[in-house]
């Protein structure tokens, strides 16, 4: 492999890790934030229909600790890859350089969205129920 292909591959790994982290963190949102939002809006019947149509939601809610743990590990790995590739050199060719920089920005935005979804899901899964006990 040439140096140029290694540089492009590192950017692709970082971008893919961000998308995987987004997928994992959206699972936390579906498991906990969506049901809480539907109940808060008074749409308990809609939640009931959703659970009957997608029974996997019950499993996600029952094992929310596992869901959040896996998502947290994925976010952590993605964050490490983002950090390592933040100053990685881009190719000299102007078109490839622009693609490299654009991919790096998109990857950072997707990672930020993943962190936001993870935080919102964590709030509704763990913090909100704890606050309601007081």
């Amino acid at each position: 492999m040439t140096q140029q292909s290694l540089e492009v591959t590192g950017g692709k790994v970082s971008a893919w890790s961000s998308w995987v982290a987004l997928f994992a963190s959206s699972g936390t949102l579906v498991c906990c934030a969506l049901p809480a939002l539907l109940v808060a809006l008074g749409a308990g019947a809609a939640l009931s229909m959703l659970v009957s149509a997608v029974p996997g939601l019950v499993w996600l809610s029952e094992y929310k600790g596992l869901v959040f743990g896996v998502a947290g590990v994925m976010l952590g790995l993605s964050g490490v890859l983002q950090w390592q590739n933040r100053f990685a050199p881009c190719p000299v060719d102007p078109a490839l350089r622009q693609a490299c920089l654009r991919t790096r920005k998109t990857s950072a935005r997707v990672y930020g969205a993943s962190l936001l979804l993870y935080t919102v899901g964590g709030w509704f899964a763990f913090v909100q129920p704890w606050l309601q006990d007081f």
Side-chain angles (χ1 to χ4, degrees):
M1 285 183 126
T2 65
Q3 181 66 23
Q4 187 176 11
S5 66
L6 284 174
E7 293 165 357
V8 173
T9 304
K12 287 182 181 178
V13 168
S14 180
W16 277 106
S17 70
S18 293
W19 287 108
V20 169
L22 178 65
F23 177 73
S25 63
S26 64
T28 64
L29 191 65
V30 168
C31 120
C32 307
L34 180 63
L37 176 68
L38 289 174
V39 169
L41 294 174
L47 178 61
S48 173
M49 284 179 45
L50 183 64
V51 167
S52 66
V54 185
L57 288 178
V58 175
W59 184 88
L60 285 174
S61 296
E62 286 177 3
Y63 296 102
K64 65 183 173 186
L66 178 65
V67 171
F68 274 89
V70 169
V73 167
M74 296 302 293
L75 281 168
L77 290 174
S78 182
V80 166
L81 288 172
Q82 291 281 332
W83 185 259
Q84 288 176 343
N85 288 325
R86 71 187 187 283
F87 296 122
C90 286
V92 177
D93 182 355
L96 291 176
R97 177 175 170 71
Q98 283 303 101
C100 174
L101 293 174
R102 189 172 42 250
T103 302
R104 195 175 289 166
K105 274 186 185 177
T106 301
S107 183
R109 288 181 182 143
V110 169
Y111 183 69
S114 299
L115 288 175
L116 179 67
L117 290 177
Y118 187 78
T119 303
V120 169
W123 173 268
F124 282 107
F126 301 108
V127 178
Q128 191 67 32
W130 180 73
L131 289 175
Q132 288 177 351
D133 288 340
F134 289 113

